[in-house]
Amino acid sequence: MNFVKTLFLLLPGAALAANLVTYTATSKVSQKDADKKAMEGAALQIGAQVKSSFETNTVEHADGSIESTAQSKKSVSTNIMLKGAKIQPGPKKDGMFQSTVTVDLDQLASKILLDLDKIKAQMKTKDSLVRLDMLDRDYRKMETDMVALEKLSLSYEDQLENLSFVQRVPGELRLETTLGELTEFLISSMQTVKLEVEESAGDLRVNVSDFAGPIANFPLVLTQDKKEFANAKTDAQGNAVFKLKKIKKLKPSGDVTVHADMNFRFVRQSALQNKTVSYGAAKTGVAFRLACSGSVAECGALQKFLSDAGLTIADKAELPELTATLEFSDKPNSSKTLYNSRATIKLKHGDKEYVEQPGGVGRDAEAAHVKAISKLTASSIVEKFTAK
């Protein structure tokens, strides 16, 4: 019949006296390795002394064999800040480096308690700032101060964990925060935030308001195809303006999305909606019949690009001809799962000629060609073939 005997075991090479912990370690590698092992041993011994972390279980099996294992009831961190730890290298003997570390537990506890007091004071100050932010309805600063308050709370818990390895933690040191209350207020306020967006005269105008009216200094970001194009903050009337000229130059028509430029966790919890707006290039009144040298997919992509840019492309014999010569240089990756293509696209009408070499990436050569065509500069092409 199996039986278990449990007894508490001090680590070898360690000595405990008063509030001092001493640990000696050896290493065949180097003095630095011996120092490291001694520091780790001292940290482990602190945990063993205060928490009785280590115990030995002795088990007798049915066959008469005896197995003894040391196991940890609590994960003892070796990252405890051993402030004031004294390292004393010992004499090298038989090729072994030796090191002894002595830690003053009172000194270590005093340092941790001082850090806890500092963090509590910082949290009290940050709590007041968050409440002022709420009164001002300054969402940007409110979010920043809330994140800082959360980090202080985590830092406090970490230091409390460190203290638990040095002494028993009094109940009055347990952290009581207002994080839940403040987070609830922030989320409930953000749930009333509304973004109103409209395109006007080539600009994207955004108005932001909440339960109390227009919001000043609200952070916004404009994205397209998951890329950020611009950032802005609302003025005193809750308005912000994004210029679409740069976006239209790269992509003559498409969609842009306005987001709250805030911590994603707060945005998600409040279900604050983004706003997506479609835009297009104004028609120039200039029409062409396209004569294209590429494949059906390539010429179709070019025709769509030119139409989106504001040119009228139609298959009518009476229209002036716009010839397009398309050449591509392709380079697949080693597994041929992606193709990188460099295009040379020449557009010509009468004595007007335009040449550009955009690049594109796709899962096959044709997809890379189509992507490269989409990277043409719309504004330059329109300017070239509409100028008199």
Side-chain angles (χ1 to χ4, degrees), residues 164-297:
S164 73
F165 294 118
V166 181
Q167 65 177 40
R168 297 192 182 278
V169 178
E172 59 268 20
L173 287 182
R174 299 295 179 184
L175 185 62
E176 294 182 7
T177 75
T178 55
L179 273 172
E181 171 195 340
L182 297 176
T183 300
E184 184 178 350
F185 184 89
L186 173 59
I187 298 303
S188 62
S189 296
M190 287 182 63
Q191 286 174 341
T192 71
V193 174
K194 293 181 180 179
L195 307 181
E196 295 180 355
V197 183
E198 66 174 359
E199 184 185 0
S200 176
D203 294 335
L204 200 65
R205 300 182 180 275
V206 186
N207 179 265
V208 185
S209 61
D210 65 3
F211 63 94
I215 307 172
N217 295 316
F218 192 88
L220 297 167
V221 61
L222 185 68
T223 67
Q224 184 177 63
D225 299 331
K226 298 181 181 180
K227 295 180 181 179
E228 290 189 11
F229 268 92
N231 300 81
K233 292 178 186 175
T234 56
D235 59 19
Q237 287 73 46
N239 297 318
V241 177
F242 290 101
K243 301 291 184 181
L244 294 181
K245 184 176 180 181
K246 179 181 178 182
I247 292 178
K248 286 185 175 181
K249 183 176 181 180
L250 297 172
K251 193 171 183 178
S253 64
D255 299 325
V256 288
T257 303
V258 179
H259 306 258
D261 193 10
M262 296 179 66
N263 186 291
F264 175 74
R265 177 165 55 88
F266 297 140
V267 173
R268 178 176 53 79
Q269 288 179 336
S270 64
L272 178 56
Q273 297 297 309
N274 303 326
K275 288 292 183 178
T276 299
V277 175
S278 299
Y279 67 91
K283 287 297 180 182
T284 62
V286 176
F288 292 103
R289 173 171 48 87
L290 183 64
C292 178
S293 68
S295 69
V296 173

Side-chain angles (χ1 to χ4, degrees), residues 39 80-86 102-104 107-108 111 115:
M39 290 287 280
I80 299 173
M81 294 185 301
L82 298 178
K83 301 295 183 181
K86 296 180 180 179
T102 302
V103 182
D104 187 325
Q107 185 182 50
L108 180 56
K111 174 65 172 67
D115 289 342

